[in-house]
Amino acid sequence: VKMKSQATMICYVVFILATECSHHRPKMHIKDGAKLQNSKGKPGTGRMQEKCHEPCLSSTNCSRPCAKHFRGEIGFTCHQKKWQKSTETCTSLSVETLFKDSNGVSHLSMAASSIPLPILDFRAPEPVKSVAQGICKNCPHDYACIIDVVKSSEATSGNIAFIVELLKNISTDLCGSVTREKMKSYGEVANHILDTAVISNWSFIPDKNASSDLLQSVNLFAGQLHIHNESEDVVDEPFIQTKGFHIDPNSTERSFNFSMSMDNATESILGTIEIPRQELQKLPPWRTSQAISIAFPTLGAILKEPHLPNMSFSRPINGLVLSVILPERMKEILFTFEKVNKSRNTRAQCVGWHSQKRMWDEGPCETTMDVRDKVKCRCNYTNAMMSFSILMSPKSVMDKVLDYITCIGLSVSILSLVLCLIIEATVWSRVVVTEISYMRHVCIVNIAVSLLTANVWFIIGSNFSIKARDYNWCVAVTFFSHFFYLSLFFWMLFKALLIIYGILVVFRRMMKSRMMVIGFAIGYGCPLVIAVTTVAITEPEKGYVRLDACWLNWDNTKALFAFAIPALVIVAVNLLVVLVVAINTQRPSIGSSKSQDMAIIMRISKNVAILTPLLGLTWGFGIVTLIEGTSLIFHIIFALLNAFQGFFILLFGTIMDHKIRDALRMRMSSLKGKSRTAENASLSPTNGSKLMNRG
């Protein structure tokens, strides 16, 4: 069975409910090529006149010129017999447009040739070598002369690449020191291309190192900033913030605190950078040093790892990207990241961005705490490792262990349930001699059938990919899984009621036909009503199933309640029944010996052990796993008890029943007797002479 990250979802349903009830926040989902809208309502995907008219053959390319007022072209690649945009170099920015309202236009005419006009062969704009010189002449104090032009330009892929080169050029070719005013202007320009509305356009830039170049340029520029006051908030833009403060050996532990909105959501994501006291003591006492930090809420969705192109999708960022610029003597830094995706099964890996290798590196970082909503990291700071974040780990060690247990347990359970049904069919006529015994075995058979069918549907659902064409099938799979798991619990409830009936009602018995009607009404009628009602209420809003798995929805409609509440109530009722059985089993007598007391304890223990899996009490152990930071061993025990439930039903419900064992022995004896009779008949003299005569 190919188990996904939700492979333990059914086994975890008890604590999934409590987990997903809390810490629910809107999540940012960004995919390359998505058609997002900018804040002005205009599409930010680049301008083109029309798509390609050439025949679309596999792996072929074509290009079209950009629309009027844009230089460059848009490249298309044929994929599944459709032209899809692959690259874009449409740009409206140039040295002339940056300084068209300045008095220094005539001084920049010789630099205009460094900006390409029609950009061919899908090439990105060349380095803007003259912009720093123009800024030094026109606005050397605050870079204000380029801000309006940049912010009014459409953030096409070509313009983004141009602005990245612009910021890179400014960082490497400074005129004078970096002041707070310059840093603020620099941040405004960077903020324009970090907006969530234009993130999709980054994927069409031919130079895949553009995002890494942007991060390195911002870090380099901020590293040359001089902090005047003791503490300063330098840049406070929606998609980039910069802070700084003075530090010295006598300082107490210092920290940066960031709170930034993701995707313009009302709730913010938090991030904290802490400088340990032992690191502060490494600073020279004769001068005051400074620490600067930068926070990016959207850069994680932009950063690409060119050397690992397929890993970009499997290693998404799950928090802010935090950069820090510290004195050289400092090596260790502490981070606290709030998770964007707070699902309980979402684990995190602390990483640093290696500016030379252009990839996330987990080597310099250690994850010191990973809970539902936040992660703490301890990382080593170097000149090549200045930016840090958390990756969403697709599988934690816990998830892998639990998936293996679930996979093996389901396989064993299915085989056990099939064997259980075969044994029941074999000995049926010998064991159903009374009304109570008849209904007891009816319960066992229907519990086995319900669990077997539910497991099969669960395996089918775990291999479903939710796409538009599979949605109706996913709804069907979820419905049948929901129905048969509920049937399992309601048949367990009926078995518990049958036990109470056998204990309390001694002299008057109900007719077998009436008990059958009640049993099937409870076992299949109640689950059917609950499942159908849930579909009828939630499906009109497309809220019956999850977005990421074929199981009951929680985020939008709380459909998961339709399984969790009945299951928990039945487990609680069945627990009371087990207590009644344990009390009823204990029959103290005057002057009882220690051996008799021990026999009573053994009898109670045996009854409890047998009834626990048959009445579904193992699902109650999931409550322990609700506690944050619960040891892995408790999760493993919970998964073992529920994944192997079919095996326990075979063991305690069939094999340990002495009446069934006696019936099996009698059945085997009769079969051996028939085989011996047939063998004796075949070896009789009469039969032998007949065979000789035939020969």
Side-chain angles (χ1 to χ4, degrees):
V1 181
K2 186 190 257 183
M3 308 305 294
K4 300 183 180 178
S5 62
Q6 289 80 19
T8 55
M9 190 184 321
I10 299 297
C11 293
Y12 274 0
V13 68
V14 176
F15 66 82
I16 282 178
L17 171 65
T19 299
E20 298 193 9
C21 279
S22 60
H23 302 287
H24 176 67
R25 297 176 187 261
K27 301 173 178 62
M28 180 177 67
H29 301 282
I30 299 170
K31 297 183 178 179
D32 290 343
K35 293 183 178 180
L36 301 175
Q37 301 290 319
N38 61 22
S39 58
K40 298 180 181 179
K42 297 180 181 179
T45 56
R47 305 286 185 169
M48 62 180 176
Q49 292 184 351
E50 56 187 2
K51 290 188 177 181
C52 298
H53 298 294
E54 290 85 345
C56 185
L57 303 176
S58 179
S59 301
T60 57
N61 299 322
C62 74
S63 62
R64 300 296 298 168
C66 299
K68 190 177 181 182
H69 306 304
F70 287 86
R71 299 186 304 277
E73 60 186 10
I74 302 173
F76 295 87
T77 300
C78 183
H79 180 67
Q80 294 181 350
K81 298 183 179 180
K82 290 183 180 180
W83 288 113
Q84 296 184 2
K85 187 167 76 168
S86 56
T87 57
E88 179 198 318
T89 57
C90 299
T91 178
S92 59
L93 292 173
S94 64
V95 175
E96 295 99 317
T97 58
L98 285 177
F99 302 103
K100 63 182 178 181
D101 296 326
S102 303
N103 295 326
V105 170
S106 59
H107 300 290
L108 296 170
S109 58
M110 63 179 182
S113 60
S114 66
I115 306 299
L117 293 177
I119 305 174
L120 304 178
D121 302 327
F122 313 135
R123 290 183 290 116
E126 295 176 0
V128 190
K129 297 180 180 178
S130 62
V131 171
Q133 302 172 9
I135 290 175
C136 290
K137 293 180 180 179
N138 291 277
C139 49
H141 301 294
D142 57 5
Y143 302 165
C145 57
I146 64 171
I147 292 178
D148 291 339
V149 177
V150 169
K151 293 175 70 173
S152 63
S153 65
E154 184 178 345
T156 61
S157 301
N159 280 343
I160 291 173
F162 183 97
I163 294 170
V164 170
E165 291 294 336
L166 166 66
L167 295 175
K168 184 178 178 181
N169 185 239
I170 294 173
S171 299
T172 56
D173 192 8
L174 290 171
C175 54
S177 60
V178 177
T179 62
R180 177 174 180 172
E181 291 73 20
K182 290 180 181 180
M183 189 71 225
K184 186 173 178 58
S185 298
Y186 196 95
E188 287 187 57
V189 175
N191 183 77
H192 180 65
I193 56 176
L194 289 171
D195 195 308
T196 54
V198 302
I199 286 178
S200 60
N201 293 350
W202 281 84
S203 61
F204 302 118
I205 299 176
D207 183 7
K208 300 307 176 184
N209 293 326
S211 56
S212 179
D213 289 341
L214 173 66
L215 176 59
Q216 192 168 356
S217 299
V218 174
N219 290 345
L220 177 61
F221 192 78
Q224 301 174 76
L225 173 65
H226 181 67
I227 302 296
H228 294 284
N229 300 325
E230 183 178 349
S231 178
E232 291 187 14
D233 292 339
V234 184
V235 178
D236 189 15
E237 297 292 331
F239 307 105
I240 178 173
Q241 289 182 6
T242 304
K243 298 181 180 182
F245 51 60
H246 292 294
I247 53 177
D248 59 63
N250 299 321
S251 300
T252 57
E253 187 174 281
R254 301 300 301 267
S255 63
F256 297 97
N257 296 300
F258 293 97
S259 176
M260 305 188 74
S261 177
M262 307 289 280
D263 197 18
N264 294 324
T266 55
E267 298 186 31
S268 299
I269 298 297
L270 307 179
T272 301
I273 302 173
E274 298 178 36
I275 305 175
R277 183 173 180 81
Q278 62 268 23
E279 293 295 314
L280 292 170
Q281 293 175 349
K282 297 178 180 179
L283 297 173
W286 57 85
R287 74 166 184 266
T288 301
S289 304
Q290 64 180 26
I292 300 170
S293 182
I294 314 155
F296 307 89
T298 58
L299 186 61
I302 297 170
L303 276 174
K304 298 298 179 186
E305 301 174 89
H307 303 294
L308 302 169
N310 296 327
M311 294 294 289
S312 299
F313 298 98
S314 59
R315 307 207 303 177
I317 294 295
N318 199 23
L320 298 175
V321 174
L322 300 177
S323 292
V324 61
I325 297 97
L326 300 173
E328 291 184 2
R329 297 190 182 189
M330 291 188 173
K331 299 300 179 185
E332 188 175 88
I333 194 79
L334 305 177
F335 296 90
T336 301
F337 296 96
E338 183 181 2
K339 293 181 181 179
V340 178
N341 186 336
K342 295 178 175 61
S343 172
R344 187 183 183 96
N345 289 333
T346 303
R347 297 298 171 184
Q349 176 66 55
C350 300
V351 290
W353 180 262
H354 200 294
S355 58
Q356 297 174 357
K357 297 180 181 179
R358 299 180 186 270
M359 61 179 291
W360 291 111
D361 187 355
E362 59 190 52
C365 290
E366 176 189 358
T367 305
T368 59
M369 186 185 76
D370 184 1
V371 293
R372 183 189 302 122
D373 58 342
K374 64 182 178 180
V375 179
K376 288 190 175 182
C377 311
R378 179 184 289 109
C379 299
N380 293 325
Y381 169 84
T382 64
N383 290 332
M385 194 79 63
M386 304 169 65
S387 303
F388 304 88
S389 189
I390 51 172
L391 295 177
M392 188 186 301
S393 178
K395 281 285 181 183
S396 66
V397 174
M398 179 189 295
D399 294 331
K400 292 179 181 178
V401 171
L402 296 177
D403 280 355
Y404 285 131
I405 292 173
T406 303
C407 183
I408 297 171
L410 284 177
S411 302
V412 173
S413 286
I414 289 174
L415 293 176
S416 300
L417 292 169
V418 171
L419 182 58
C420 176
L421 293 174
I422 292 174
I423 293 174
E424 287 288 342
T426 303
V427 302
W428 183 265
S429 60
R430 297 178 183 271
V431 295
V432 291
V433 293
T434 65
E435 288 85 354
I436 293 295
S437 63
Y438 181 86
M439 292 308 302
R440 176 184 177 278
H441 287 279
V442 167
C443 288
I444 292 292
V445 169
N446 282 281
I447 287 172
V449 169
S450 297
L451 182 57
L452 176 62
T453 312
N455 285 344
V456 171
W457 280 110
F458 172 67
I459 292 172
I460 295 173
S462 67
N463 287 277
F464 251 95
S465 58
I466 300 182
K467 300 177 182 177
R469 64 177 183 273
D470 294 332
Y471 179 80
N472 292 332
W473 280 105
C474 187
V475 170
V477 169
T478 303
F479 173 82
F480 285 114
S481 297
H482 184 199
F483 170 72
F484 282 107
Y485 274 112
L486 281 177
S487 297
L488 168 67
F489 279 96
F490 275 94
W491 273 109
M492 289 175 173
L493 173 64
F494 182 69
K495 181 173 177 59
L497 297 177
L498 200 64
I499 292 171
I500 293 294
Y501 175 77
I503 293 174
L504 301 180
V505 181
V506 179
F507 299 105
R508 192 176 67 178
R509 296 296 181 186
M510 189 183 299
M511 294 179 59
K512 184 169 65 176
S513 58
R514 183 177 297 179
M515 295 174 70
M516 287 285 290
V517 171
I518 295 174
F520 277 86
I522 294 175
Y524 292 119
C526 293
L528 184 63
V529 170
I530 294 173
V532 171
T533 303
T534 306
V535 173
I537 293 174
T538 59
E539 185 50 29
E541 301 177 1
K542 301 294 183 183
Y544 182 60
V545 299
R546 294 170 177 253
L547 296 175
D548 56 349
C550 292
W551 183 235
L552 298 171
N553 185 287
W554 170 257
D555 293 331
N556 302 325
T557 61
K558 305 296 185 290
L560 186 60
F561 272 134
F563 175 77
I565 291 178
L568 290 174
V569 170
I570 291 173
V571 168
V573 172
N574 290 359
L575 179 60
L576 294 177
V577 173
V578 172
L579 294 176
V580 171
V581 171
I583 294 171
N584 188 72
T585 304
Q586 184 179 3
R587 297 172 181 173
S589 59
I590 299 175
S592 59
S593 63
K594 290 185 178 180
S595 60
Q596 290 175 329
D597 292 339
M598 185 58 66
I600 291 173
I601 294 173
M602 292 298 295
R603 188 162 61 246
I604 293 174
S605 301
K606 180 180 178 182
N607 288 335
V608 171
I610 290 174
L611 292 177
T612 294
L614 293 180
L615 299 185
L617 301 188
T618 53
W619 291 76
F621 287 99
I623 297 174
V624 180
T625 61
L626 290 174
I627 303 172
E628 196 66 67
T630 301
S631 174
L632 176 60
I633 189 64
F634 290 104
H635 292 270
I636 293 175
I637 291 173
F638 179 58
L640 282 170
L641 290 174
N642 290 281
F644 287 88
Q645 190 171 9
F647 172 75
F648 295 139
I649 289 173
L650 171 66
L651 178 63
F652 295 116
T654 303
I655 296 176
M656 291 188 66
D657 189 331
H658 68 90
K659 292 182 180 179
I660 291 181
R661 292 201 303 271
D662 293 341
L664 279 174
R665 278 195 293 266
M666 293 175 63
R667 181 70 174 173
M668 295 300 294
S669 298
S670 62
L671 291 175
K672 288 181 180 179
K674 289 180 180 179
S675 64
R676 286 177 181 175
T677 302
E679 184 180 352
N680 292 335
S682 64
L683 295 176
S684 64
T686 307
N687 233 12
S689 61
K690 287 180 179 179
L691 290 172
M692 292 295 291
N693 292 333
R694 285 181 183 177

